[in-house]
């Protein structure tokens, strides 16, 4: 039974609300109203808005709705040029263009039927000899390297998807999930780092049961440009090429599986393959929605949430068979956005109490890389030095068993004492974390040394699926979260002194609770990425105190461009390099600081 329709639960909720109303204040302070809150959630998650995907009409409708609510509550426009908006451009989609071609031995193969480029391929053309490189994997920890004794420089590399079966056996001989070596982006980066000019993937047929389907274009996550041509062909096409060397996919795979050793070789030079890739990438203008409630000073508290979601689904969908259906994103993050709107109503009623102002922001582009919050911190519409704290709400709509998560408590010098007092009237079971970094928008602000608090009610089985619908939102409990956030924001606004930013000496695993990710990859490095776009490399928004990166002298604002002998063009390159390193490795890294290229050595440590 849905607990919101349980009479005992409703009675308990009403008692909780009444108790909170009497305890919070005798001043008859306006409280969050569940019925108002849920109406905002329902509008934002309605099928009419089509999942609020980046660059869609539904996202624009959501933005106008939020701005109308801000105007209704008497906020001032605080975006660009005294509007409600802060506009920025994002890449929203990619599709194969008109000039794609794959040919060998003067025979063309058919786009969409015989082959298809991957969405993160480079654009360009290359013609040359080919090699078969097994699964395209270099895994020293497993004593396996498909590229050992194989020269692939300026060649086309034909590789199998997935990985050898022995990779998935644990010490007890039980089968486990695929390792990171099976990821297609890892295969592309590995081939590029070995000097290959193009990668051609093939499904393979080890047991004759595997269906030979081309990967749906755009269904695999990756960078915008992996720096190498990458396509997929059907087994029949690859077998035609291999026949020139007297080989077949089935025989090669059987050899790898039976011997747990590579079976790589160069195809005859007489076989020259021409690959031409043309991918058209679409861009759109999206917007942050920003309203300001002035206080008596120029300082202000930020309350924010992202309002975008997955639209009809993309590579981030956790229901891949349902891509094409509306992913409404009721909890992620209509719940947080509705919270910002309801808090605008509550705090505008308290405007006479506020010493510092409150800046209300809803961000676009969070689902594709924290882009909206990164845009604001790098191009603030109010003086950023006057921001005393940032409160982020991401998925606050499904409080289960009164469990609430609050992150970032160590980033502000006054936070722990303030939260001890502020949470006293509430019956939440609170899981605190001091760290201010995780996969949500407050991370952008922590990177600019702004104290942050992150309110989150936990993951669930509907996350990033079409089943994340408004009927599953717990409006009564969410309203209590908003009452708590309103109290915290009021305390921050009226405190005699602003909190000072504290760099938290925390473990490297991020701030999400168990099961919510943030575990990292490979050895510990200690940098926090800044998602603002750069031409090449990975920009750091910050570096964790006491981390290997900090010990090596790296700091926020640096742009990593080289890791050992590997170029770093994007975050995927950096992740690949870390995953293929070991604890204790001393790595020479190249980075840009103030336009100058510098080098330092980083000793990688074990993740704690």
């Amino acid at each position: 039974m849905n607990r919101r329709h349980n009479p005992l639960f409703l009675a308990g909720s009403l008692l909780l609300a009444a108790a909170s109303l009497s305890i919070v204040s005798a001043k008859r302070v306006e409280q969050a109203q569940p019925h108002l809150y849920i109406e905002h959630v329902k509008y934002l998650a309605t099928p009419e808005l089509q999942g609020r995907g980046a660059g869609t009409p539904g996202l624009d409708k959501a933005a106008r709705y939020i701005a109308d609510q801000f105007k209704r509550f008497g906020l001032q426009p605080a975006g660009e040029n005294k509007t409600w908006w802060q506009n920025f451009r994002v890449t929203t989609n990619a599709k194969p263009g008109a000039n794609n071609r794959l040919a060998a031995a003067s025979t063309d193969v058919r786009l969409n039927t015989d082959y298809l480029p991957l969405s993160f391929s480079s654009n360009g053309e290359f013609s040359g000899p080919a090699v078969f490189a097994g699964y395209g994997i270099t895994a020293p920890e497993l004593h396996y390297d498909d590229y050992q004794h194989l020269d692939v420089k300026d060649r086309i590399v034909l590789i199998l998807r997935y990985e050898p079966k022995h990779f998935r056996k644990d010490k007890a001989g039980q089968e486990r999930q695929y390792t990171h070596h099976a990821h297609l982006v890892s295969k592309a980066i590995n081939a590029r780092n070995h000097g290959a000019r193009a990668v051609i993937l093939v499904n393979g047929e080890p047991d004759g049961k595997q269906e030979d389907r081309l990967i749906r274009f755009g269904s695999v996550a990756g960078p915008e440009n992996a720096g190498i041509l990458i396509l997929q062909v059907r087994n029949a096409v690859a077998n035609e090429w291999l026949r020139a060397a007297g080989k077949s996919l089935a025989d090669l795979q059987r050899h790898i599986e039976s011997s747990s050793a590579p079976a790589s070789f160069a195809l005859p030079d007489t076989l020259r393959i021409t690959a031409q890739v043309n991918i058209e990438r679409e861009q759109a203008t999206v917007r942050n929605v920003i309203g300001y409630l002035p206080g008596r000073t120029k300082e202000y508290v930020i309350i924010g949430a992202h309002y975008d979601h997955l639209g009809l689904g993309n590579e981030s969908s956790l229901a891949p068979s349902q891509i094409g259906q509306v992913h409404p994103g009721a909890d992620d993050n209509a719940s947080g956005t509705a919270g910002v709107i309801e808090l605008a109503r509550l705090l505008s009623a308290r405007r006479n109490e506020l010493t510092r102002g409150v800046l209300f922001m809803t961000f676009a582009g969070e689902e594709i890389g924290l882009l909206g919050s990164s845009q604001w911190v790098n191009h603030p519409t109010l003086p950023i030095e006057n921001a005393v704290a940032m409160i982020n709400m991401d998925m606050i709509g499904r409080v289960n068993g009164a469990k609430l998560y609050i992150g970032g408590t160590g980033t502000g010098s006054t936070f722990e004492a303030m939260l001890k007092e502020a949470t006293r009237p509430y019956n939440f079971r609170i899981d605190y974390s001091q760290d201010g970094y995780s996969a949500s928008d407050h991370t952008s602000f922590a990177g600019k040394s702004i104290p942050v608090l992150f309110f989150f009610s936990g993951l669930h089985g509907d996350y990033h699926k079409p089943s994340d619908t408004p009927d599953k939102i717990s409006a009564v409990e969410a309203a209590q979260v908003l009452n708590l956030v309103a109290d915290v924001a009021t305390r921050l606004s009226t405190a005699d002194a602003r909190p000072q930013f504290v760099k938290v000496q925390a473990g490297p695993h991020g701030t999400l609770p168990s099961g919510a990710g943030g575990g990292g990859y490979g050895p510990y490095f200690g940098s926090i990425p800044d998602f603002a776009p750069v031409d090449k490399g990975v920009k750091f928004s910050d570096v964790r105190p006491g981390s290997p990166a900090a010990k090596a002298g790296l700091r926020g604002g640096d742009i990593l461009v080289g890791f050992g002998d590997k170029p770093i063009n994007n975050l995927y390159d950096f992740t690949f390099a870390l995953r293929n390193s070991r604890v204790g490795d001393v790595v020479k890294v190249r980075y840009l600081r103030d336009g100058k290229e510098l080098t330092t050595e980083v000793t990688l440590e074990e993740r704690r």
Side-chain angles (χ1 to χ4, degrees):
M1 180 183 292
N2 187 312
R3 62 185 182 180
R4 291 182 298 107
H5 299 294
N6 184 319
L8 291 176
F9 179 79
L10 279 175
S13 298
L14 291 171
L15 286 172
L16 174 63
S20 177
L21 183 60
S22 62
I23 292 172
V24 168
S25 173
K27 302 175 183 177
R28 299 183 181 179
V29 173
E30 179 67 31
Q31 298 288 289
Q33 298 299 314
H35 70 283
L36 297 177
Y37 171 80
I38 197 63
E39 287 306 311
H40 298 312
V41 173
K42 287 178 179 178
Y43 177 80
L44 293 166
T46 181
E48 180 188 349
L49 266 59
Q50 295 282 290
R52 309 184 308 280
T56 65
L59 188 72
D60 289 339
K61 288 181 180 179
R64 290 194 294 272
Y65 177 84
I66 296 163
D68 286 345
Q69 301 303 313
F70 285 174
K71 183 178 181 180
R72 176 184 171 198
F73 302 134
L75 304 189
Q76 297 177 359
E80 299 164 335
N81 303 316
K82 297 183 179 180
T83 68
W84 299 107
W85 323 121
Q86 182 183 39
N87 298 322
F88 57 101
R89 299 281 287 175
V90 298
T91 299
T92 59
N93 194 21
K95 63 181 180 180
N99 299 314
N100 285 283
R101 181 170 176 257
L102 184 63
S106 302
T107 302
D108 283 342
V109 291
R110 295 165 297 173
L111 180 68
N112 296 317
T113 302
D114 301 315
Y115 84 97
L116 195 63
L118 271 67
S119 60
F120 49 84
S121 173
S122 294
N123 282 334
E125 181 178 6
F126 180 73
S127 181
V131 300
F132 174 75
Y135 287 92
I137 290 171
T138 300
E141 77 281 9
L142 295 170
H143 310 290
Y144 183 94
D145 186 2
D146 283 311
Y147 290 93
Q148 188 174 19
H149 310 307
L150 184 69
D151 182 12
V152 302
K153 183 173 175 56
D154 293 329
R155 291 174 178 259
I156 292 173
V157 177
L158 177 65
I159 59 177
L160 296 160
R161 287 182 65 189
Y162 311 112
E163 63 189 7
K165 288 182 179 178
H166 74 273
F167 276 39
R168 303 196 302 279
K169 299 290 185 181
D170 62 20
K171 292 181 180 179
Q174 299 297 312
E175 189 163 308
R176 59 190 177 190
Q177 292 182 336
Y178 286 106
T179 73
H180 71 270
H181 297 291
H183 296 177
L184 300 187
V185 175
S186 295
K187 292 174 183 281
I189 293 171
N190 198 29
R192 188 199 69 201
N193 287 347
H194 278 89
R197 295 288 298 276
V199 170
I200 298 179
L201 291 165
V202 61
N203 283 320
E205 42 189 2
D207 52 18
K209 298 177 183 177
Q210 186 173 313
E211 193 169 359
D212 185 27
R213 287 184 177 180
L214 297 175
I215 301 166
R216 187 174 56 81
F217 188 87
S219 64
V220 178
E224 188 170 317
N225 181 346
I228 189 171
L229 304 181
I230 179 166
L231 313 90
Q232 184 192 8
V233 299
R234 289 196 182 276
N235 291 340
V237 176
N239 272 320
E240 185 69 26
W241 297 341
L242 291 169
R243 194 171 292 121
K247 310 277 187 180
S248 73
L249 286 172
D251 290 342
L252 290 166
Q253 284 187 269
R254 277 194 291 269
H255 173 83
I256 295 172
E257 299 300 348
S258 63
S259 66
S260 298
S264 305
F265 67 97
L267 277 74
D269 285 343
T270 53
L271 178 73
R272 296 184 69 84
I273 299 174
T274 298
Q276 181 176 359
V277 176
N278 170 222
I279 295 174
E280 297 176 356
R281 294 184 169 90
E282 300 174 3
Q283 286 203 322
T285 297
V286 297
R287 52 185 58 171
N288 296 330
V289 188
I290 311 173
Y292 187 52
L293 183 64
R296 294 193 293 276
T297 74
K298 294 182 179 180
E299 292 183 333
Y300 56 92
V301 178
I302 299 168
I303 297 177
H306 76 90
Y307 72 101
D308 64 312
H309 194 54
L310 304 186
L312 302 182
N314 54 32
E315 68 273 7
S316 296
S317 173
L318 295 182
S321 66
Q322 295 176 276
I323 290 175
Q325 297 182 26
V326 173
H327 287 53
D331 194 26
D332 184 20
N333 186 32
S335 69
T337 304
V340 174
I341 295 171
E342 179 63 354
L343 286 168
R345 185 185 71 83
L346 293 186
L347 294 176
S348 64
R350 303 182 191 178
R351 66 178 70 225
N352 293 332
E353 301 175 32
L354 302 179
T355 303
R356 300 178 178 90
V358 182
L359 185 65
F360 296 90
M361 286 198 280
T362 60
F363 306 108
E366 191 270 356
E367 296 287 4
I368 52 178
L370 311 188
L371 299 184
S373 54
S374 179
Q375 177 72 16
W376 192 88
V377 298
N378 287 292
H379 306 281
T381 57
L382 290 181
I384 196 169
E385 64 272 14
N386 292 337
V388 303
M390 190 273 176
I391 300 172
N392 181 34
M393 297 179 294
D394 195 345
M395 298 176 63
I396 62 165
R398 292 176 68 166
V399 175
N400 184 21
K403 185 68 179 292
L404 179 65
Y405 170 78
I406 304 178
T409 60
T411 63
S413 58
T414 63
F415 281 177
E416 291 187 1
M418 176 195 65
L419 286 166
K420 185 177 180 180
E421 291 297 319
T423 58
R424 197 185 305 277
Y426 300 89
N427 292 330
F428 292 119
R429 296 187 300 112
I430 300 176
D431 182 3
Y432 293 105
S433 174
Q434 291 194 337
D435 199 359
Y437 297 106
S438 67
S440 191
D441 288 303
H442 57 283
T443 295
S444 299
F445 293 83
K448 298 297 184 182
S449 299
I450 296 172
V452 297
L453 288 171
F454 173 38
F455 287 79
F456 174 66
S457 62
L459 290 176
H460 45 74
D462 300 308
Y463 173 69
H464 278 201
K465 295 179 182 177
S467 53
D468 181 12
T469 49
D471 58 296
K472 297 172 183 173
I473 297 296
S474 305
V476 171
E477 294 95 327
Q480 291 302 301
V481 175
L482 297 180
N483 287 330
L484 172 58
V485 173
D487 190 13
V488 169
T490 302
R491 291 170 185 266
L492 288 168
S493 172
T494 57
D496 290 339
R498 62 189 287 174
Q500 298 302 304
F501 179 73
V502 179
K503 279 198 171 188
V504 177
Q505 291 276 358
H509 298 299
T511 64
L512 291 180
S514 177
Y521 305 104
Y524 180 35
F525 188 84
S527 59
I528 308 297
D530 185 331
F531 292 96
V534 293
D535 290 337
K536 186 172 289 188
V538 174
K539 187 176 182 180
F540 300 151
S541 69
D542 205 356
V543 170
R544 295 183 184 274
S547 68
K551 293 173 184 175
L554 294 168
R555 63 192 190 207
D558 292 341
I559 301 174
L560 183 72
V561 295
F563 187 95
D565 61 349
K566 303 297 189 294
I568 301 298
N569 297 321
N570 51 54
L571 192 56
Y572 288 87
D573 286 348
F574 186 27
T575 299
F576 178 83
L578 272 180
R579 281 171 161 169
N580 285 275
S581 301
R582 297 182 180 182
V583 172
D585 284 354
V586 180
V587 182
K588 179 179 285 188
V589 301
R590 294 181 291 112
Y591 62 99
L592 302 178
R593 178 179 293 168
D594 299 327
K596 296 180 180 179
E597 184 170 306
L598 304 171
T599 62
T600 188
E601 289 188 340
V602 179
T603 302
L604 302 178
E605 298 177 6
E606 185 174 1
R607 291 189 174 271
R608 300 185 288 274

